[in-house]
Amino acid sequence: MNPPEDVLAELRELRAGDLPTHGGRTLAYVYDSGLSEVDTLGAAAHALASSANGLDPTAFPSLLRLENDLVSAASSLLGDVPGVVGSVTSGGTESCLLAVLAARDAHPSIESPSIVLPTTAHAAFHKAAHLFGVRRIDVPVDPVTFRADPAAMAAAIDDSTILLVASAPSYAHGVLDPIEPIAAAAAARGVRMHVDACIGGWVLPYFAKLGAEVPPFDFRVPGVTSISVDLHKYAYCPKGTSVLLHASAELRRSHYFASAAWPGYTMLNTTIQSTRSGGPLAAAWAVTRHLGSEGYLSLAASTREAVARIRSGIADLPGLRILGDPISTLLAFTASDDGFDLFTVADEMKVRGWYVQPQFAFAGSPVNLHLTVTAANHGSEKEFLTDLAASVDAARAAGPVTVDPAVAEFVAALDPATLTSEQFAGLLAAAGLGGASGLPDRMAPINALLATAPAPLRERLLLEFLGALYTP
Ligand SMILES: Cc1ncc(COP(=O)(O)O)c(C=O)c1O
């Protein structure tokens, strides 16, 4: 047997190679309150309940109570409208999946159901459509504001529509879709309307309390039938919890699942999972209970200040331009001249100890860098902006990243549907994504090459890459 302290030391060493989850230097994937007691409390609560199983609420009534408390807290924050019910899920994607599943299974008579969503909706809805055999009607957004176009979405509704989706805000640009007219269009046709507030739902209400102008997006808007809000984002809870709210128990019922048609226990599930660890649930309950409205208001105030400082600093930096009018905690900025390469800026930021997330051009949205700003960014905005300015200068000095036109032409002509895994392996190696050797420090040449590939080819290339990574 390996002594526990050795095993933990090994784990610590492995974790040391990861992006930092605390300190505000990783501006995607992680959410840091900057309060160490929040992490300690979350970990302790997680440990207390991690072996309890949410599969059977009658066996573990504590978990039932925790879940009802969390749903009630989310519901109070998002309109405080009577009749709202919900489920705690493992994350934003699961909440979005269940919203689509509930809508689909409420209409078994629709042969080829479809969802109407803006092109900026989170890819979780693409996954839902893929898994549940639902057609996606992607509706272009306004090319300047990147907000959903309510008239175009209304026009896309037909007899097969089971759900409309809008974001509060969108992940890519952090802009709020016009929820009211979209919900009105859905209601007029008797169609469900989901507000994806996975990333904004726990912070926008506090921004509003602090005086920000936040157009209505919650259950007070007539026609909104479900809302997702992630606790592992701006509720600053450990990973593994989101809440999916439905306006009524009737609307929620169709994502529940039961099977008594086997010799074991009657399987009764509220979510995709069956066995559900009590750990993330207890951690989220403890963190939200500890912070309360007062704690979240104070975290929102710091975050709001940090995001405003970063935004105005970027606006003042020659060569950079914020996309749209982000109202929340997320920013996306692009290059306003072609004297430098944005992927190189991301690499240069990495050299300076910051992770910023490259986003490829898509449907009118240019190549850009995404920032998820959290409370932990408060206080280091100046340092961030100084390093960003230096990174842009370094990228200008380095000059553009060029993809050999012959390679670009070759890649563009590839058909992901007919290429074999072996051919992809060769291509990945040529692109510097050879797998086991890990990623190179500088991603700009790889990103530049990937940017030349049409989305379906990029998907396939990166899936092959993923497969290579997950090979023991
Ligand atoms: C708006 C939105 N929806 C859905 C998701 C998916 O959440 P998760 O990564 O927790 O599955 C995200 C994640 O960032 C998001 O921002």
Side-chain angles (χ1 to χ4, degrees), residues 31-45:
Y31 302 80
D32 179 15
S33 67
L35 304 171
S36 62
E37 89 271 8
V38 166
D39 301 318
T40 317
L41 173 64

Side-chain angles (χ1 to χ4, degrees), residues 9 24 27 64 74 91 93 108 131 150 164 172 218-219 225 242-243 250 318 320 330 420 434 457:
L27 287 111
L64 175 63
T93 298
L131 288 176
L164 263 66
D218 60 27
F219 283 114
T225 55
S242 167
V243 177
E250 177 65 25
L320 299 182
L330 316 171
T420 64
L457 180 60

Side-chain angles (χ1 to χ4, degrees), residues 31 90-94 96 122-125 167-172 196-200 228 230 232-233 241-242 330:
Y31 302 80
S90 64
T93 298
E94 190 181 6
C96 298
H122 195 278
F125 293 95
S167 313
S170 64
Y171 179 82
D196 179 4
C198 279
I199 204 157
S228 48
D230 295 356
H232 63 198
K233 294 191 170 80
T241 46
S242 167
L330 316 171

